[in-house]
Amino acid sequence: AQPPSAQPQGQGPWVVRAHYADRQMVNDLAAWLEPWEVHHDEGYLVVAVDRAGYDRMLEAGFHLEIDWHLTGELNQPRAMLPGQTSGIPGFPCYRTVEETFATAQQIVATHPHLATWMDVGDSWEKTEPGGNPGYDLRVLRLTNSAIPGPKPKLFVMASVHAREYTTAELATRFAEVLAQDYGTGPDVTWLLDYHEIHLLLQANPDGRKMAEAGDLWRKNTNEDYCSPTSNRRGADLNRNFEFQWGCCGGSSGFECDELYRGPDPASEPETQAVQNYVRSQFPDQRGDSLVDPAPDAASGVFLDLHSHGQLVLWPWGFVSTPAPNATALQTLGRKLAYYNGYEPDQAYGLYATDGTTDDFAYGDLGLAAYTFELGTWFFEECDVFENTILPGNLPALLY
Ligand code: 0X9
Ligand code: ZN
């Protein structure tokens, strides 16, 4: 233990508890660094910084305390547990990218009338010639194809931030429950008879491979940004979406930053794949003005799974002004939060963000759009996932 005011030696990285005086300090910080946790009621946030980041935060007026426990968790070498034969090393409950894809293919093979596995685009590595073959971005669609549509749709995407282990696994378990319970569970049977559920299980597979090795990787792996071999390269896909891209100080223009928005709106192939797919599946139900509401009869739910923070968030994220459909978004958001026990809030209440998935889905198309922040850590322990996150969130997804 060190006294809180002592300056750490060396280059870091460290996980710090940063005490702040007002929300403006948090929004200014969130233009270049992603706060891992924000506790507005207690006036501190948690974030990882290197030496330059530490000094920059001190200059900005934060009072910094190093969390030596979480700092020790950074850069832990990873190995399979004794007897572990599958999953992320040290975390057998989380399927790897390849295992996630194999599960989806297995569901389709076992339930061909219920499930389709579609190629909807490419990861950055796949678009590049060279050694790394990359991945297709794939959507698992679940519905009873014997009953014709059109049917209302739910779109869920997971692991757009690579290190957020619980998210892809939750979406994959959801798919398994739907496939298994069809025909015996009345709710699931009704759901798949009269709705379509579209799951982009791995929205950032290139980044996820880095995170599977234990790196706290967030962005995609685009080598054009920062430097081709830097572990700070890539673009933050949750700042790269077209709608209000880079508008409002909720993202960074610096290539090495965690919150780098990319050089142009939707510059990244992963972003393009999501935008194109969502636009192909849902009609545009909202006018072009920021104050136009979607009609009460608008159809379609969009959900982006992240971690961590135990939050249910809805648009807007780029501005504090409530969205034109704020009351309806809040009503459904609170209902979802009733199921998972999380705190419901407008996304801006956390910190300002621009170019995000949910602002795109609601702003561009008028979908009821949400972000869940699952659990309490990026590399969540498996017993927390199995005993808390999964039982809390499956009912929210089913609802
Ligand atoms: O900063 C983010 O992208 C999200 N937090 S995370 O720790 N998963 O990176 C929060 C996004 C909140 N804003 C919107 N949902 N619009
Ligand atoms: Zn995230």
Side-chain angles (χ1 to χ4, degrees):
Q2 293 196 345
S5 55
Q7 296 294 308
Q9 305 298 307
Q11 293 307 308
W14 304 282
V15 181
V16 295
R17 215 175 238 232
H19 301 265
Y20 52 87
D22 54 50
R23 282 196 182 219
Q24 193 52 47
M25 287 173 70
V26 182
N27 279 339
D28 291 345
L29 181 79
W32 60 281
L33 194 63
E34 190 241 312
W36 289 359
E37 293 173 26
V38 183
H39 302 270
H40 282 309
D41 43 350
E42 287 154 278
Y44 76 92
L45 54 85
V46 178
V47 72
V49 280
D50 58 9
R51 165 57 61 188
Y54 188 96
D55 294 342
R56 192 167 160 185
M57 287 188 76
L58 276 187
E59 220 161 278
F62 287 94
H63 175 77
L64 300 178
E65 268 179 285
I66 295 187
D67 184 323
W68 291 105
H69 171 73
L70 285 180
T71 298
E73 282 204 21
L74 294 176
N75 309 322
Q76 283 286 335
R78 284 290 175 80
M80 295 298 247
L81 301 175
Q84 184 183 352
T85 54
S86 64
I88 295 175
F91 296 83
C93 61
Y94 304 123
R95 273 167 273 225
T96 63
V97 172
E98 286 75 11
E99 289 163 357
T100 305
F101 286 10
T103 297
Q105 274 158 339
Q106 188 58 44
I107 290 173
V108 174
T110 326
H111 307 273
H113 62 294
L114 288 182
T116 325
W117 183 227
M118 291 169 295
D119 178 354
V120 303
D122 292 337
S123 72
W124 181 83
E125 298 282 2
K126 179 126 195 206
T127 66
E128 284 295 297
N132 188 331
Y135 296 88
D136 288 323
L137 295 191
R138 287 177 167 274
V139 168
L140 180 64
R141 185 186 64 203
L142 294 155
T143 192
N144 176 11
S145 57
I147 297 183
K151 304 176 185 179
K153 295 172 185 176
L154 165 70
F155 175 84
V156 183
M157 56 186 283
S159 290
V160 75
H161 287 149
R163 63 193 173 196
E164 300 171 6
Y165 281 178
T166 52
T167 62
E169 190 60 29
L170 173 64
T172 309
R173 302 282 183 106
F174 180 44
E176 288 180 322
V177 167
L178 293 171
Q180 274 158 22
D181 288 3
Y182 183 81
T184 53
D187 286 348
V188 166
T189 305
W190 173 81
L191 270 176
L192 294 188
D193 280 347
Y194 301 111
H195 307 78
E196 293 179 15
I197 297 175
H198 298 239
L199 305 171
L200 175 59
L201 299 171
Q202 297 280 0
N204 178 12
D206 295 343
R208 173 48 80 97
K209 290 321 282 182
M210 311 299 277
E212 284 177 10
D215 203 316
L216 276 162
W217 201 280
R218 169 181 172 95
K219 302 190 280 183
N220 73 356
T221 63
N222 195 324
E223 294 176 10
D224 299 337
Y225 313 139
C226 197
S227 115
T229 54
S230 172
N231 64 0
R232 301 174 62 194
R233 72 181 184 273
D236 182 356
L237 300 172
N238 204 27
R239 299 293 183 278
N240 187 240
F241 280 67
E242 259 170 40
F243 187 81
Q244 296 294 104
W245 178 85
C247 69
C248 308
S251 58
S252 170
F254 293 100
E255 296 182 350
C256 302
D257 281 352
E258 286 283 68
L259 302 179
Y260 178 51
R261 66 179 80 100
D264 298 293
S267 55
E268 305 311 298
E270 295 87 353
T271 309
Q272 291 161 21
V274 174
Q275 289 192 172
N276 291 342
Y277 186 72
V278 172
R279 283 176 176 149
S280 78
Q281 295 298 315
F282 297 96
D284 181 358
Q285 304 170 96
R286 208 183 70 81
D288 290 337
S289 160
L290 285 177
V291 297
D292 287 340
D296 285 347
S299 171
V301 176
F302 176 100
L303 174 59
D304 189 11
L305 297 175
H306 286 254
S307 72
H308 55 282
Q310 306 187 115
L311 300 164
V312 172
L313 304 172
W314 56 84
W316 303 121
F318 75 95
V319 67
S320 62
T321 314
N325 296 95
T327 306
L329 288 167
Q330 174 183 269
T331 300
L332 180 52
R334 286 179 172 175
K335 188 83 184 193
L336 296 167
Y338 160 78
Y339 284 102
N340 61 17
Y342 293 170
E343 187 182 320
D345 199 2
Q346 182 184 334
Y348 187 90
L350 190 59
Y351 46 81
T353 53
D354 46 45
T356 59
T357 58
D358 47 9
D359 277 2
F360 157 76
Y362 171 71
D364 203 80
L365 298 172
L367 304 181
Y370 295 87
T371 294
F372 285 5
E373 293 282 355
L374 305 176
T376 52
W377 177 233
F378 299 122
F379 301 154
E380 194 88 75
E381 293 298 334
C382 280
D383 67 333
V384 178
F385 176 75
E386 301 285 359
N387 298 319
T388 307
I389 293 178
L390 191 60
N393 281 282
L394 278 177
L397 291 174
L398 287 167
Y399 178 77

